[in-house]
């Protein structure tokens, strides 16, 4: 039986493509991620097909932004693991983005001391989640900037407001923080 890392490596070799290289690291993307993106794009097309082009474009933009934000966060997380591995003397072979998130395939020098080995393993494991602290600050600052720009207009006419029933409505509603989208 193959573990998650083995499945990721098998998929990385046979069912993924090289998207780009960042900091001398190949970034590979699973074809399943492309399918996931397609599914995300189909949702607003189905949901807003009878609501007019404004809502369709809003839904498409929203789905695309959510996808980019999600996989950017995953990529930075994986670079956290890989950067710590490099710091400890190892190398990053490549990073795979797949539906389960991402996998950083990296190595470290052999260590004879078991205590040092465990400490270094912990450092590599903890480095990924540690990237979420500055990422949270960045995403919040970006959200506040966008909200500020959207709310700086003189009126909220022709804007979309998210309601409690989970749908978007067009109309002149008061802008409330992140809820007023144009």
């Amino acid at each position: 039986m193959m573990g998650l890392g083995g499945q990721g490596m098998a998929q990385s070799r046979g069912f993924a493509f090289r998207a780009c290289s960042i900091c001398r690291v190949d970034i590979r993307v699973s074809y399943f991620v492309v399918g996931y993106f397609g599914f995300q794009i189909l949702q607003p097309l189905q949901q807003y097909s009878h609501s007019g082009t404004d809502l369709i474009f809003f839904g498409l933009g929203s789905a695309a932004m959510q996808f980019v934000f999600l996989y950017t966060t995953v990529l930075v997380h994986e670079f956290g693991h890989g950067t710590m591995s490099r710091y400890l003397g190892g190398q990053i072979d490549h990073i795979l983005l797949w539906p389960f998130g991402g996998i950083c395939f990296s190595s470290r020098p052999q260590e004879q001391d078991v205590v040092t080995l465990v400490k270094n393993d912990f450092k590599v494991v903890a480095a990924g989640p540690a990237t979420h602290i500055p990422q949270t600050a960045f995403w919040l600052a970006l959200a506040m900037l966008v909200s500020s720009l959207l709310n700086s207009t003189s009126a909220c006419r022709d804007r979309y407001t998210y309601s409690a029933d989970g749908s978007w409505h067009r109309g002149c509603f008061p802008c409330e923080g992140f809820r007023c989208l144009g």
Side-chain angles (χ1 to χ4, degrees), residues 87-121:
Y87 176 78
L88 296 172
Q91 295 181 346
I92 305 172
D93 183 59
H94 69 281
I95 292 175
L96 171 66
L97 299 177
W98 65 330
F100 298 112
I103 300 177
C104 179
F105 295 96
S106 61
S107 64
R108 288 189 319 283
Q110 293 293 325
E111 188 64 54
Q112 300 300 324
D113 180 30
V114 176
V115 173
T116 304
L117 176 70
V118 171
K119 284 182 179 180
N120 287 346
D121 279 346

Short mmCIF file of all heavy atoms in Angstrom, two decimals, residues 87-121:
data_model
loop_
_atom_site.label_atom_id
_atom_site.label_comp_id
_atom_site.label_asym_id
_atom_site.label_seq_id
_atom_site.Cartn_x
_atom_site.Cartn_y
_atom_site.Cartn_z
N TYR A 87 17.89 25.47 4.33
CA TYR A 87 18.64 26.08 5.43
C TYR A 87 19.43 25.03 6.20
O TYR A 87 20.55 25.29 6.64
CB TYR A 87 17.67 26.81 6.36
CG TYR A 87 18.31 27.41 7.58
CD1 TYR A 87 19.02 28.61 7.49
CD2 TYR A 87 18.22 26.79 8.82
CE1 TYR A 87 19.62 29.17 8.61
CE2 TYR A 87 18.82 27.33 9.94
CZ TYR A 87 19.52 28.52 9.84
OH TYR A 87 20.11 29.05 10.95
N LEU A 88 18.87 23.84 6.32
CA LEU A 88 19.54 22.76 7.05
C LEU A 88 20.53 21.99 6.19
O LEU A 88 21.12 21.01 6.64
CB LEU A 88 18.50 21.80 7.64
CG LEU A 88 17.58 22.41 8.69
CD1 LEU A 88 16.47 21.44 9.06
CD2 LEU A 88 18.37 22.83 9.92
N GLY A 89 20.71 22.42 4.93
CA GLY A 89 21.70 21.81 4.05
C GLY A 89 21.14 20.90 2.98
O GLY A 89 21.89 20.27 2.24
N GLY A 90 19.84 20.84 2.85
CA GLY A 90 19.21 19.98 1.84
C GLY A 90 18.88 20.74 0.58
O GLY A 90 19.35 21.87 0.36
N GLN A 91 18.07 20.11 -0.25
CA GLN A 91 17.67 20.70 -1.51
C GLN A 91 16.18 20.46 -1.73
O GLN A 91 15.62 19.51 -1.19
CB GLN A 91 18.44 20.10 -2.67
CG GLN A 91 19.92 20.39 -2.65
CD GLN A 91 20.61 19.76 -3.85
OE1 GLN A 91 20.07 18.93 -4.55
NE2 GLN A 91 21.85 20.19 -4.07
N ILE A 92 15.60 21.31 -2.56
CA ILE A 92 14.21 21.11 -2.97
C ILE A 92 14.24 20.52 -4.37
O ILE A 92 14.81 21.12 -5.29
CB ILE A 92 13.41 22.43 -3.00
CG1 ILE A 92 13.48 23.14 -1.65
CG2 ILE A 92 11.96 22.17 -3.39
CD1 ILE A 92 12.87 24.54 -1.67
N ASP A 93 13.64 19.35 -4.53
CA ASP A 93 13.57 18.74 -5.85
C ASP A 93 12.48 19.43 -6.66
O ASP A 93 12.73 19.93 -7.76
CB ASP A 93 13.28 17.24 -5.74
CG ASP A 93 13.26 16.56 -7.09
OD1 ASP A 93 14.30 16.64 -7.78
OD2 ASP A 93 12.21 16.01 -7.46
N HIS A 94 11.27 19.46 -6.15
CA HIS A 94 10.16 20.16 -6.79
C HIS A 94 8.99 20.25 -5.82
O HIS A 94 8.99 19.62 -4.77
CB HIS A 94 9.73 19.49 -8.10
CG HIS A 94 9.09 18.16 -7.94
ND1 HIS A 94 9.81 17.00 -7.72
CD2 HIS A 94 7.78 17.77 -7.96
CE1 HIS A 94 8.98 15.98 -7.62
NE2 HIS A 94 7.75 16.42 -7.76
N ILE A 95 8.03 21.07 -6.18
CA ILE A 95 6.79 21.20 -5.40
C ILE A 95 5.64 20.79 -6.30
O ILE A 95 5.58 21.20 -7.46
CB ILE A 95 6.60 22.64 -4.89
CG1 ILE A 95 7.67 22.99 -3.85
CG2 ILE A 95 5.20 22.84 -4.32
CD1 ILE A 95 7.65 24.42 -3.37
N LEU A 96 4.76 19.96 -5.76
CA LEU A 96 3.58 19.51 -6.49
C LEU A 96 2.34 20.15 -5.88
O LEU A 96 2.13 20.07 -4.67
CB LEU A 96 3.45 17.99 -6.42
CG LEU A 96 2.15 17.40 -6.97
CD1 LEU A 96 2.05 17.61 -8.48
CD2 LEU A 96 2.05 15.92 -6.62
N LEU A 97 1.55 20.81 -6.71
CA LEU A 97 0.25 21.31 -6.28
C LEU A 97 -0.78 20.30 -6.77
O LEU A 97 -0.83 19.98 -7.95
CB LEU A 97 -0.03 22.69 -6.89
CG LEU A 97 0.95 23.79 -6.50
CD1 LEU A 97 0.61 25.08 -7.22
CD2 LEU A 97 0.97 23.99 -5.00
N TRP A 98 -1.56 19.79 -5.83
CA TRP A 98 -2.57 18.80 -6.19
C TRP A 98 -3.80 19.01 -5.34
O TRP A 98 -3.79 19.86 -4.44
CB TRP A 98 -2.00 17.39 -6.15
CG TRP A 98 -1.55 16.84 -4.82
CD1 TRP A 98 -1.06 17.51 -3.76
CD2 TRP A 98 -1.55 15.48 -4.45
NE1 TRP A 98 -0.74 16.65 -2.75
CE2 TRP A 98 -1.04 15.39 -3.15
CE3 TRP A 98 -1.92 14.31 -5.08
CZ2 TRP A 98 -0.91 14.19 -2.46
CZ3 TRP A 98 -1.78 13.10 -4.39
CH2 TRP A 98 -1.28 13.06 -3.11
N PRO A 99 -4.89 18.28 -5.58
CA PRO A 99 -6.15 18.56 -4.87
C PRO A 99 -6.06 18.48 -3.35
O PRO A 99 -6.84 19.12 -2.67
CB PRO A 99 -7.11 17.51 -5.42
CG PRO A 99 -6.58 17.17 -6.75
CD PRO A 99 -5.09 17.26 -6.63
N PHE A 100 -5.10 17.74 -2.83
CA PHE A 100 -4.96 17.63 -1.38
C PHE A 100 -4.12 18.75 -0.81
O PHE A 100 -3.76 18.73 0.36
CB PHE A 100 -4.36 16.28 -1.00
CG PHE A 100 -5.21 15.13 -1.40
CD1 PHE A 100 -4.78 14.26 -2.39
CD2 PHE A 100 -6.44 14.91 -0.81
CE1 PHE A 100 -5.57 13.20 -2.77
CE2 PHE A 100 -7.23 13.84 -1.19
CZ PHE A 100 -6.80 12.99 -2.17
N GLY A 101 -3.75 19.73 -1.61
CA GLY A 101 -2.92 20.83 -1.17
C GLY A 101 -1.63 20.86 -1.95
O GLY A 101 -1.63 21.17 -3.13
N GLY A 102 -0.55 20.50 -1.32
CA GLY A 102 0.74 20.49 -2.00
C GLY A 102 1.71 19.58 -1.29
O GLY A 102 1.50 19.19 -0.14
N ILE A 103 2.77 19.23 -2.01
CA ILE A 103 3.84 18.42 -1.42
C ILE A 103 5.16 19.04 -1.87
O ILE A 103 5.36 19.29 -3.06
CB ILE A 103 3.80 16.96 -1.87
CG1 ILE A 103 2.48 16.29 -1.47
CG2 ILE A 103 4.97 16.18 -1.26
CD1 ILE A 103 2.36 14.86 -1.97
N CYS A 104 6.03 19.28 -0.91
CA CYS A 104 7.38 19.75 -1.21
C CYS A 104 8.30 18.53 -1.13
O CYS A 104 8.48 17.96 -0.06
CB CYS A 104 7.83 20.82 -0.22
SG CYS A 104 9.49 21.41 -0.52
N PHE A 105 8.85 18.14 -2.26
CA PHE A 105 9.78 17.01 -2.30
C PHE A 105 11.18 17.57 -2.08
O PHE A 105 11.74 18.22 -2.95
CB PHE A 105 9.68 16.27 -3.64
CG PHE A 105 8.35 15.62 -3.84
CD1 PHE A 105 7.35 16.25 -4.55
CD2 PHE A 105 8.09 14.37 -3.28
CE1 PHE A 105 6.12 15.64 -4.74
CE2 PHE A 105 6.86 13.76 -3.45
CZ PHE A 105 5.88 14.40 -4.18
N SER A 106 11.71 17.34 -0.88
CA SER A 106 13.00 17.91 -0.52
C SER A 106 13.85 16.86 0.19
O SER A 106 13.37 15.80 0.57
CB SER A 106 12.82 19.13 0.40
OG SER A 106 12.16 18.76 1.59
N SER A 107 15.12 17.20 0.35
CA SER A 107 16.06 16.30 1.03
C SER A 107 16.87 17.10 2.03
O SER A 107 16.91 18.32 1.99
CB SER A 107 17.00 15.65 0.01
OG SER A 107 17.80 16.64 -0.60
N ARG A 108 17.51 16.36 2.93
CA ARG A 108 18.43 16.96 3.89
C ARG A 108 19.64 16.03 4.02
O ARG A 108 19.53 14.85 3.73
CB ARG A 108 17.76 17.11 5.26
CG ARG A 108 16.71 18.19 5.31
CD ARG A 108 16.22 18.45 6.72
NE ARG A 108 16.03 17.27 7.55
CZ ARG A 108 15.00 16.44 7.47
NH1 ARG A 108 14.05 16.63 6.60
NH2 ARG A 108 14.91 15.40 8.27
N PRO A 109 20.77 16.56 4.47
CA PRO A 109 21.93 15.70 4.66
C PRO A 109 21.63 14.61 5.71
O PRO A 109 20.80 14.80 6.61
CB PRO A 109 23.02 16.63 5.17
CG PRO A 109 22.54 18.01 4.92
CD PRO A 109 21.06 17.95 4.81
N GLN A 110 22.29 13.48 5.58
CA GLN A 110 22.14 12.40 6.55
C GLN A 110 22.64 12.88 7.91
O GLN A 110 23.64 13.58 8.01
CB GLN A 110 22.94 11.17 6.11
CG GLN A 110 22.41 10.52 4.85
CD GLN A 110 21.04 9.91 5.07
OE1 GLN A 110 20.73 9.39 6.13
NE2 GLN A 110 20.20 9.99 4.06
N GLU A 111 21.93 12.48 8.93
CA GLU A 111 22.27 12.88 10.29
C GLU A 111 22.45 11.63 11.13
O GLU A 111 21.57 10.76 11.15
CB GLU A 111 21.16 13.77 10.86
CG GLU A 111 21.48 14.41 12.18
CD GLU A 111 22.65 15.37 12.08
OE1 GLU A 111 22.62 16.27 11.25
OE2 GLU A 111 23.60 15.20 12.88
N GLN A 112 23.58 11.52 11.84
CA GLN A 112 23.85 10.35 12.67
C GLN A 112 23.22 10.47 14.05
O GLN A 112 22.80 9.49 14.63
CB GLN A 112 25.37 10.15 12.80
CG GLN A 112 26.08 9.93 11.49
CD GLN A 112 25.56 8.70 10.75
OE1 GLN A 112 25.21 7.69 11.35
NE2 GLN A 112 25.49 8.80 9.44
N ASP A 113 23.16 11.70 14.57
CA ASP A 113 22.61 11.93 15.91
C ASP A 113 21.09 11.94 15.82
O ASP A 113 20.49 12.76 15.12
CB ASP A 113 23.13 13.26 16.46
CG ASP A 113 22.61 13.57 17.84
OD1 ASP A 113 22.34 12.61 18.61
OD2 ASP A 113 22.46 14.76 18.17
N VAL A 114 20.45 11.01 16.55
CA VAL A 114 19.00 10.87 16.49
C VAL A 114 18.29 12.12 17.01
O VAL A 114 17.28 12.54 16.44
CB VAL A 114 18.56 9.61 17.28
CG1 VAL A 114 17.05 9.50 17.32
CG2 VAL A 114 19.17 8.36 16.68
N VAL A 115 18.79 12.73 18.04
CA VAL A 115 18.17 13.93 18.60
C VAL A 115 18.20 15.07 17.58
O VAL A 115 17.19 15.75 17.36
CB VAL A 115 18.87 14.35 19.93
CG1 VAL A 115 18.35 15.67 20.42
CG2 VAL A 115 18.69 13.26 20.98
N THR A 116 19.34 15.26 16.92
CA THR A 116 19.45 16.30 15.90
C THR A 116 18.53 15.99 14.72
O THR A 116 17.89 16.89 14.17
CB THR A 116 20.90 16.43 15.41
OG1 THR A 116 21.75 16.67 16.54
CG2 THR A 116 21.06 17.55 14.40
N LEU A 117 18.44 14.71 14.35
CA LEU A 117 17.55 14.30 13.26
C LEU A 117 16.10 14.66 13.57
O LEU A 117 15.39 15.24 12.73
CB LEU A 117 17.68 12.80 13.01
CG LEU A 117 16.74 12.21 11.96
CD1 LEU A 117 17.13 12.70 10.58
CD2 LEU A 117 16.76 10.70 12.02
N VAL A 118 15.65 14.36 14.78
CA VAL A 118 14.26 14.66 15.17
C VAL A 118 14.05 16.17 15.23
O VAL A 118 13.01 16.67 14.77
CB VAL A 118 13.92 13.99 16.52
CG1 VAL A 118 12.58 14.46 17.04
CG2 VAL A 118 13.93 12.47 16.37
N LYS A 119 15.01 16.91 15.76
CA LYS A 119 14.89 18.37 15.82
C LYS A 119 14.80 18.97 14.42
O LYS A 119 13.98 19.85 14.16
CB LYS A 119 16.07 18.99 16.57
CG LYS A 119 15.99 18.83 18.07
CD LYS A 119 17.18 19.49 18.73
CE LYS A 119 17.10 19.35 20.24
NZ LYS A 119 18.25 19.99 20.90
N ASN A 120 15.64 18.48 13.50
CA ASN A 120 15.61 19.00 12.14
C ASN A 120 14.31 18.63 11.43
O ASN A 120 13.76 19.43 10.68
CB ASN A 120 16.81 18.50 11.34
CG ASN A 120 18.10 19.18 11.76
OD1 ASN A 120 18.07 20.20 12.46
ND2 ASN A 120 19.22 18.63 11.35
N ASP A 121 13.82 17.41 11.65
CA ASP A 121 12.52 17.01 11.09
C ASP A 121 11.42 17.94 11.59
O ASP A 121 10.56 18.37 10.82
CB ASP A 121 12.17 15.57 11.45
CG ASP A 121 12.86 14.55 10.57
OD1 ASP A 121 13.40 14.93 9.51
OD2 ASP A 121 12.84 13.35 10.93
#
